[in-house]
Amino acid sequence: MGNLLEVEAKQETFSINLEQPQKKDFLSGAQAMMECLLAEGVDTIFGYPGGAIMPTYDALYDYIDRLNHILVRHEQGAGHAAQGYSRVSGRTGVCLVTSGPGGTNLITPIADAIIDCTPLVCIVGQVKSTLLGTDAFQETDMIGVTTPVCKWNYQITSADEVPEVMAKAFYIAQAGKPGPVVIDFTRDAQASKMTEKFEYKKINKLVTYRPRIVPKQDQIEKAAELINKAKRPYILFGHGVLIAEAVPELLEFVEKTDIPCASTLLGLSGMPIDHPNYMGWLGMHGMYAPNVMTDQCDVLIAIGMRFDDRVTGDSTKFAKQAKIIHIEIDPSEIEKIKKTEAPVVGDAKEALKLLMPLVKKGDFSAWKNEFRKLDAKEHEKVTLRDLKGEGKIKMAEVVAMLSDKTNGEACIVVDVGQHQMVTARYYQFRKPHSYIASGGLGTMGFAIPASFGAKMGAPDREVVGIIGDGCFQMTIQELGTIAQSGLAVKMIILNNNYLGMVRQWQQLFFDNRYSFVELKNPDFITIAKGFGIEGHTCSERENLSASLDTLLKSDKAYLLEVLVEKEENVFPMVPAGTSVSEIRLE
């Protein structure tokens, strides 16, 4: 059983008023769990019932008018849906599953959420406390299994623990660098009664967990001094800017200083794509100029990003000429990969607010023109080739046309592979929280469940899942969830009958030895119709525009399959283990 963290401060108190309560009037642990979720403002749960979580599902029956439960078809789908919900709404995603295989099926989303900093509270059923350690039916040590991949976990063995543990769970999931929390809920704790009146106290601080929000002033001043002296400054911002809701502050900072900026893959949509200071995104399949110019800047301002290997390539060669300012809420990320001249530990929003009055108004027109010269080279060698409209339909054509038809304002959920990188390159993101992807873990099968989770989190937005044919088959069963829930999720399969990214690597780096990457795919449209979802296949360029119109005009879920070039490669590309300056355009 995990150790309880000491509570230092509390915000709001929620209680159930019972006059002179008798023991029979006390809430069960399962009922207390429902009240905790309501107190935290939860409105949606993604889950799948089973034996060890049955008392909690029985309690949920009395709360269905206040808690919307989405019945998934596999527990992995619950986790990814909760991720999609959280990423677009900024709220903590909640999932509810049973013990044993129910819990272990949730491991991939938990691991995905910890590396992409997504706040989740995962409630997992467990056998009775008297059976723990006996290898009882569907018993799995979820504390041991999840410890390496979650932010905190705790096993509840008494109904009285529920309010305090859940208050901590939601606080820890959201505070500092967000992440997943796992609550292992024994069956007897669910079924038994509390011995005291239910009272829920939301907390905003723990003695043993104090993430710094406001940076130290001396760190801010040192960073400002470096920025003001810089001749060729460059901003790289990541997912942390979106998590901190620091998009307005970043925009204000960029416009005052005139510093060119680029995003990581998960930082996409953190800056309007058409802003004159936004140079694109960088990384293994990022844009040419943002990658190359990291080796030309003299001061590199990293905001809410962690120098992942997909960003840096060979980290020993990455921006080695530059003085680095690293704004990061997690101190363990500072100097983990790159030596930092000026660390700034704190929330990105607060850091940018403090920097604003200290930085000078700048004019870096000549420096920005250096980026644009390289843009022209990429446009000639890559963009024109991708969009020239010859031969089979290209993935880029589909994404570019979708972007035009949605004015760059849809919420785009992608899976993992070539289609993911093409979407990042050709969709013109104009609203924050619009590119939802499995970044650090690279989980195939992410997009279908994350799409309906995103639609639950942002019901008024157009949500479009762009998915490869291999990825689609990883979680194809979740079409049933979409159909049953009635969510108007739009899905596009870019079908090349290959595991495209693996095939590309085999072609470029393994002498064209295509080892088990060609797919014999099913009839996706017939399968979708079997679930009650309409759709059609587009194989000709002249039908693509009308096909996308049909997809977007549907007021229900819809699947569009587009047959694309089979052996198309995605460029630019930084080969693994090389410097970003060695980026290839072909």
Side-chain angles (χ1 to χ4, degrees):
M1 187 167 74
N3 292 321
L4 282 171
L5 298 174
E6 184 181 350
V7 179
E8 182 183 83
K10 297 172 174 145
Q11 282 184 316
E12 303 173 57
T13 301
F14 298 82
S15 60
I16 305 297
N17 294 318
L18 300 172
E19 293 187 9
Q20 298 181 336
Q22 303 297 313
K23 190 173 178 72
K24 66 181 178 62
D25 296 319
F26 288 134
L27 298 182
S28 69
Q31 291 170 323
M33 180 64 75
M34 298 299 105
E35 293 294 336
C36 293
L37 297 179
L38 290 175
E40 288 288 348
V42 173
D43 58 12
T44 302
I45 303 169
F46 303 92
Y48 200 95
I53 199 66
M54 207 171 292
T56 298
Y57 267 90
D58 183 64
L60 179 59
Y61 186 86
D62 295 322
Y63 288 78
I64 55 176
D65 58 333
R66 289 169 286 174
L67 290 169
N68 183 20
H69 179 276
I70 302 297
L71 177 63
V72 297
R73 297 304 186 266
H74 189 283
E75 291 88 353
Q76 182 182 351
H80 292 322
Q83 286 180 276
Y85 173 90
S86 177
R87 293 272 289 275
V88 299
S89 70
R91 304 172 68 184
T92 298
V94 177
C95 38
L96 181 65
V97 303
T98 195
S99 65
T104 57
N105 284 343
L106 203 57
I107 298 301
T108 296
I110 293 170
D112 197 296
I114 192 70
I115 200 166
D116 283 351
C117 307
T118 306
L120 302 182
V121 170
C122 305
I123 304 162
V124 183
Q126 184 56 279
V127 300
K128 291 181 180 180
S129 56
T130 54
L131 295 176
L132 291 171
T134 67
D135 292 332
F137 178 68
Q138 291 191 334
E139 180 193 1
T140 298
D141 177 8
M142 288 301 295
I143 299 299
V145 169
T146 61
T147 294
V149 292
C150 73
K151 196 174 175 185
W152 185 61
N153 57 22
Y154 189 85
Q155 186 178 80
I156 296 176
T157 58
S158 165
D160 289 329
E161 293 182 288
V162 172
E164 184 179 357
V165 171
M166 292 308 295
K168 291 171 182 173
F170 276 92
Y171 170 72
I172 293 168
Q174 295 167 320
K177 183 164 76 172
V181 168
V182 177
I183 301 301
D184 198 35
F185 200 9
T186 62
R187 201 178 194 281
D188 49 335
Q190 298 171 52
S192 62
K193 298 280 188 177
M194 297 180 67
T195 61
E196 53 193 24
K197 186 175 71 173
F198 176 87
E199 187 174 72
Y200 191 77
K201 298 176 180 178
K202 294 180 73 171
I203 65 174
N204 65 358
K205 196 176 294 184
L206 293 170
V207 168
T208 50
Y209 182 49
R210 291 171 174 257
R212 175 174 285 279
I213 303 301
V214 179
K216 294 179 179 179
Q217 188 62 28
D218 62 329
Q219 293 183 341
I220 291 291
E221 290 173 359
K222 185 173 183 180
E225 182 182 0
L226 283 177
I227 293 167
N228 289 333
K229 291 180 178 178
K231 303 299 183 185
R232 299 183 307 280
Y234 184 20
I235 296 169
L236 301 182
F237 67 89
H239 192 201
V241 167
L242 290 161
I243 293 171
E245 297 293 345
V247 172
E249 287 75 15
L250 176 63
L251 186 61
E252 184 181 4
F253 181 80
V254 165
E255 291 183 343
K256 179 178 182 180
T257 62
D258 196 39
I259 298 173
C261 64
S263 72
T264 65
L265 186 69
L266 291 189
L268 280 168
S269 78
M271 177 72 69
I273 201 89
D274 51 2
H275 193 280
N277 284 59
Y278 181 67
M279 301 300 163
W281 63 284
L282 79 166
M284 178 173 279
H285 287 283
M287 295 177 175
Y288 189 63
N291 276 296
V292 171
M293 298 307 277
T294 57
D295 285 347
Q296 304 298 321
C297 65
D298 61 350
V299 173
L300 184 64
I301 308 159
I303 309 175
M305 54 87 73
R306 57 187 177 85
F307 295 106
D308 173 76
D309 64 294
R310 284 299 196 262
V311 166
T312 65
D314 183 348
S315 63
T316 64
K317 299 177 182 178
F318 182 81
K320 62 182 181 179
Q321 80 295 336
K323 294 180 179 179
I324 295 177
I325 299 166
H326 194 181
I327 299 172
E328 169 61 50
I329 199 166
D330 182 1
S332 70
E333 294 290 349
I334 302 291
E335 296 201 334
K336 186 172 82 174
I337 306 295
K338 293 297 298 181
K339 179 176 171 54
T340 303
E341 186 78 15
V344 178
V345 178
D347 180 80
K349 190 181 190 79
E350 297 301 321
L352 289 168
K353 284 181 179 179
L354 291 173
L355 279 170
M356 273 300 295
L358 301 182
V359 294
K360 298 176 182 176
K361 186 169 180 62
D363 182 358
F364 291 102
S365 299
W367 170 229
K368 289 188 292 185
N369 283 337
E370 295 300 311
F371 285 81
R372 295 189 180 105
K373 290 175 185 176
L374 296 179
D375 281 342
K377 183 176 181 180
E378 179 180 352
H379 182 77
E380 178 184 350
K381 288 188 172 291
V382 179
T383 307
L384 292 179
R385 179 183 64 212
D386 288 349
L387 299 176
K388 65 182 178 180
E390 296 177 3
K392 293 286 292 183
I393 300 172
K394 305 295 190 294
M395 290 182 283
E397 296 177 78
V398 182
V399 175
M401 190 176 290
L402 175 70
S403 181
D404 289 343
K405 289 180 178 293
T406 57
N407 196 33
E409 295 181 347
C411 175
I412 303 297
V413 184
V414 293
D415 228 293
V416 175
Q418 288 181 317
H419 69 277
Q420 176 188 28
M421 301 304 161
V422 170
T423 301
R425 177 175 173 77
Y426 288 103
Y427 196 87
Q428 305 295 301
F429 298 98
R430 292 189 172 88
K431 294 182 70 172
H433 305 291
S434 292
Y435 182 78
I436 312 300
S438 170
L441 198 64
T443 303
M444 291 178 68
F446 174 84
I448 298 179
S451 292
F452 66 74
K455 189 65 176 177
M456 290 297 303
D460 295 330
R461 293 193 67 182
E462 184 78 86
V463 175
V464 182
I466 300 179
I467 311 167
D469 47 320
C471 294
F472 196 83
Q473 294 175 78
M474 289 275 189
T475 49
I476 195 170
Q477 70 276 1
E478 298 303 338
L479 292 176
T481 307
I482 293 173
Q484 184 169 341
S485 65
L487 294 167
V489 176
K490 313 299 170 59
M491 295 164 284
I492 300 173
I493 301 176
L494 298 180
N495 185 356
N496 59 12
N497 289 104
Y498 272 108
L499 300 176
M501 188 62 82
V502 182
R503 183 210 57 75
Q504 177 171 336
W505 278 58
Q506 289 178 346
Q507 177 187 341
L508 296 177
F509 308 117
F510 292 88
D511 299 322
N512 289 293
R513 290 161 60 87
Y514 288 1
S515 183
F516 302 102
V517 288
E518 189 168 10
L519 298 172
K520 184 177 181 180
N521 286 324
D523 184 335
F524 292 116
I525 302 304
T526 297
I527 291 173
K529 289 181 177 179
F531 282 105
I533 295 173
E534 289 300 312
H536 74 277
T537 299
C538 175
S539 59
E540 302 297 332
R541 182 172 285 104
E542 56 266 29
N543 298 328
L544 180 58
S545 179
S547 292
L548 287 171
D549 288 340
T550 300
L551 172 89
L552 294 171
K553 289 177 182 177
S554 175
D555 59 358
K556 298 178 181 178
Y558 199 92
L559 175 63
L560 172 62
E561 176 189 27
V562 183
L563 304 184
V564 297
E565 179 71 43
K566 290 191 67 173
E567 297 188 47
E568 180 183 359
N569 288 335
V570 178
F571 290 101
M573 180 180 186
V574 180
T578 66
S579 164
V580 293
S581 63
E582 299 174 70
I583 188 169
R584 295 174 55 172
L585 294 177
E586 54 189 358

